[in-house]
């Protein structure tokens, strides 16, 4: 049997930490490597090809560290790069039994139970919205639901710059919530379809009209991963089980550690790496 190794978790920056926390809570036995491409974040306003290239570089890097399974804990990367990686890159790579999973499918699969009105808003980066991945996936799996995708271009920069608790963040949070709810007042569930957005959750909840449910992805992705590992014991046996975590960033390690510790309330010691 091949040597056992950690699960790789990738995001453009800090956002994927919200997914990682939920995964580690549900599946604490495994080892993890978290990689944030903070030096090139945000991805959400970048072009299709650039996001594809950056994501592929990150996946390759995590494969080189031995990870047999990588989670793209980033909607933008999942929307723009996952299909290409699964269909073109994996079959031809050195070890085609490795797997890469995203966050969009597990989120859509959980939507059925969330809305009474059948009208659901998707708050995401401009990149995710322009790919219409949520709309397409919902049309395929749950065609009776109506989906409204809304881009919140300033929310990721606020989080990446450590401004998620600031007064300035109130302006941008209120602006987007008001915009989506004024256009579609029938919405009764809003999905935080960007892994950075849970970090703005207290402010989002503050401006949300009563009766509108907020859906975050962490627990959905974690239970979908648990289910995947039950269905794929051949992958499960390849995962190392020490409960360890290594944090990697493409930006300054100290800065990553300081900001990450705020978001996941534990001490984070990161290591800077280069990917290209
Ligand atoms: N956290 C990422 C997502 O879920 C994207 C953030 C970015 O724009 O880099 O979409």
């Amino acid at each position: 049997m091949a040597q056992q190794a950690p699960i790789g978790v990738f995001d453009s920056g800090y956002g994927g930490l919200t997914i990682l926390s939920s995964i580690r809570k549900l599946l604490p036995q495994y080892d993890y490597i978290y990689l944030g491409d903070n030096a090139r974040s945000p991805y959400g306003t970048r072009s299709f090809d650039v996001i594809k290239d950056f994501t592929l570089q990150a996946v390759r890097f995590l494969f080189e560290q031995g990870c047999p399974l990588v989670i793209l804990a980033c909607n933008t990367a999942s929307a723009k790069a996952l299909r290409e990686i699964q269909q073109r890159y994996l079959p031809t790579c050195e070890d085609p039994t490795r797997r890469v999973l995203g966050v969009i499918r597990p989120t859509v699969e959980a939507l059925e139970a969330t809305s009474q009105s059948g009208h659901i808003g998707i708050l995401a980066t401009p990149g995710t919205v322009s790919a219409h991945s949520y709309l397409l996936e919902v049309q395929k799996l749950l065609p009776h639901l109506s989906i409204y995708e809304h881009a919140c271009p300033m929310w990721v920069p606020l989080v990446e710059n450590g401004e998620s608790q600031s007064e300035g963040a109130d302006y941008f949070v209120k602006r987007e919530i008001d915009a989506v709810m004024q256009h579609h007042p029938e919405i009764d569930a809003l999905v935080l379809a960007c892994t950075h957005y849970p970090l703005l959750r207290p402010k989002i909840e503050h401006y949300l009209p009563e009766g509108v449910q907020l859906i975050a992805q962490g627990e959905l992705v974690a239970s979908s991963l648990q289910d995947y590992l039950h269905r794929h014991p051949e992958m499960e046996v390849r995962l190392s089980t020490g409960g360890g975590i290594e944090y990697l960033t493409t930006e300054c390690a100290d800065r990553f550690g300081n900001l990450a510790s705020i978001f996941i309330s534990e001490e984070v010691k990161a290591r800077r790496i280069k990917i290209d």
Side-chain angles (χ1 to χ4, degrees):
M1 188 176 67
Q3 215 184 343
Q4 292 180 317
I7 297 174
V9 179
F10 168 69
D11 181 51
S12 59
Y14 298 104
L17 294 170
T18 61
I19 302 284
L20 178 71
S21 299
S22 300
I23 294 179
R24 285 178 72 205
K25 212 157 147 197
L26 190 66
L27 302 168
Q29 66 272 37
Y30 299 114
D31 293 319
Y32 298 90
I33 299 180
Y34 181 87
L35 170 57
D37 191 7
N38 301 76
R40 304 189 292 192
S41 156
Y43 279 15
T45 42
R46 292 186 184 274
S47 68
F48 209 113
D49 282 345
V50 169
I51 296 170
K52 247 177 8 197
D53 287 350
F54 286 0
T55 305
L56 185 55
Q57 288 165 8
V59 166
R60 275 207 195 105
F61 179 88
L62 288 165
F63 281 174
E64 279 161 22
Q65 310 313 299
C67 301
L69 176 64
V70 172
I71 312 296
L72 299 184
C74 175
N75 289 266
T76 311
S78 299
K80 304 279 198 190
L82 182 61
R83 181 182 292 256
E84 172 98 2
I85 290 174
Q86 286 177 335
Q87 294 182 354
R88 288 176 192 266
Y89 173 66
L90 283 180
T92 58
C93 78
E94 197 185 311
D95 176 1
T97 64
R98 288 179 171 163
R99 288 289 171 267
V100 180
L101 305 174
V103 289
I104 295 177
R105 181 84 185 222
T107 308
V108 169
E109 281 172 350
L111 288 186
E112 177 84 86
T114 58
S115 168
Q116 300 277 315
S117 71
H119 295 270
I120 298 177
I122 306 288
L123 302 175
T125 66
T128 301
V129 168
S130 69
H132 298 302
S133 304
Y134 277 90
L135 187 65
L136 297 171
E137 205 67 30
V138 168
Q139 280 170 350
K140 226 176 0 182
L141 297 179
L142 304 164
H144 56 286
L145 296 180
S146 301
I147 291 296
Y148 309 98
E149 297 165 300
H150 181 80
C152 309
M154 287 304 292
W155 288 13
V156 170
L158 284 168
V159 172
E160 285 291 309
N161 289 294
E163 293 287 334
S164 59
Q165 331 278 332
S166 73
E167 282 177 23
D170 283 272
Y171 171 81
F172 290 104
V173 169
K174 182 175 185 319
R175 189 176 76 175
E176 306 306 351
I177 298 291
D178 287 353
V180 73
M181 292 311 302
Q182 271 162 21
H183 277 99
H184 308 288
E186 62 280 34
I187 286 176
D188 67 355
L190 270 181
V191 181
L192 300 180
C194 169
T195 56
H196 283 64
Y197 295 176
L199 302 165
L200 291 163
R201 188 169 186 139
K203 292 202 186 292
I204 297 171
E205 275 171 347
H206 181 74
Y207 293 109
L208 208 60
E210 221 172 287
V212 179
Q213 202 191 138
L214 212 52
I215 301 160
Q217 300 176 293
E219 287 173 13
L220 306 179
V221 175
S223 70
S224 164
L225 175 60
Q226 184 180 45
D227 181 52
Y228 175 85
L229 294 174
H230 277 143
R231 287 184 289 110
H232 293 277
E234 78 289 354
M235 175 57 76
E236 206 278 336
V237 295
R238 295 170 71 181
L239 304 175
S240 57
T241 51
I245 170 78
E246 187 179 9
Y247 293 99
L248 305 176
T249 175
T250 53
E251 244 297 345
C252 166
D254 287 346
R255 180 176 156 74
F256 181 90
N258 290 340
L259 266 169
S261 307
I262 300 172
F263 299 139
I264 57 171
S265 52
E266 70 177 40
E267 204 196 339
V268 171
K269 288 225 175 306
R271 184 159 63 84
R272 183 175 173 205
I273 54 108
K274 284 192 180 155
I275 50 174
D276 50 32

